[in-house]
């Protein structure tokens, strides 16, 4: 089970996550803060987390 959690307290809405993500249009929506739309398209490259300036993206994979 894949989960990507955005800490909305720390997100500054810069859009780096959406810009770097290869499947951005299907996964990310950034308004004031970043939201995940659909993780089925995520291939867990972790680029979004690496590009986040406030380290507010947490990627978790269980099982
Ligand atoms: S891990 Fe990769 S594919 Fe998944 S949301 Fe982040 S950048 Fe996109
Ligand atoms: S890169 Fe990080 S701070 Fe910037 S919009 Fe995405 S989650 Fe928010």
């Amino acid at each position: 089970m894949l989960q990507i959690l955005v800490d909305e307290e720390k997100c500054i809405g810069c859009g780096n996550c959406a810009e770097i993500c290869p499947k951005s249009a299907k996964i990310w929506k950034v308004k004031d803060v970043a939201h995940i739309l659909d993780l089925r398209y995520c291939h867990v490259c972790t680029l979004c987390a690496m590009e986040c300036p406030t380290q507010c993206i947490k990627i978790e994979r269980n099982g």
Side-chain angles (χ1 to χ4, degrees):
M1 171 85 184
L2 174 67
Q3 264 195 315
I4 296 187
L5 304 168
V6 175
D7 183 342
E8 295 192 357
E9 299 289 311
K10 291 207 291 186
C11 176
I12 57 171
C14 68
N16 282 8
C17 48
E19 223 164 274
I20 196 84
C21 177
K23 300 285 183 209
S24 178
K26 294 199 163 77
I27 298 176
W28 290 98
K29 183 172 171 71
V30 182
K31 253 188 122 192
D32 298 327
V33 295
H35 298 282
I36 297 280
L37 300 175
D38 192 344
L39 275 182
R40 280 177 303 172
Y41 301 95
C42 174
H43 46 86
V44 203
C45 63
T46 74
L47 284 172
C48 53
M50 285 192 274
E51 288 298 311
C52 178
T54 63
Q55 276 98 50
C56 65
I57 300 175
K58 201 153 87 184
I59 300 177
E60 288 179 349
R61 212 167 14 175
N62 309 314

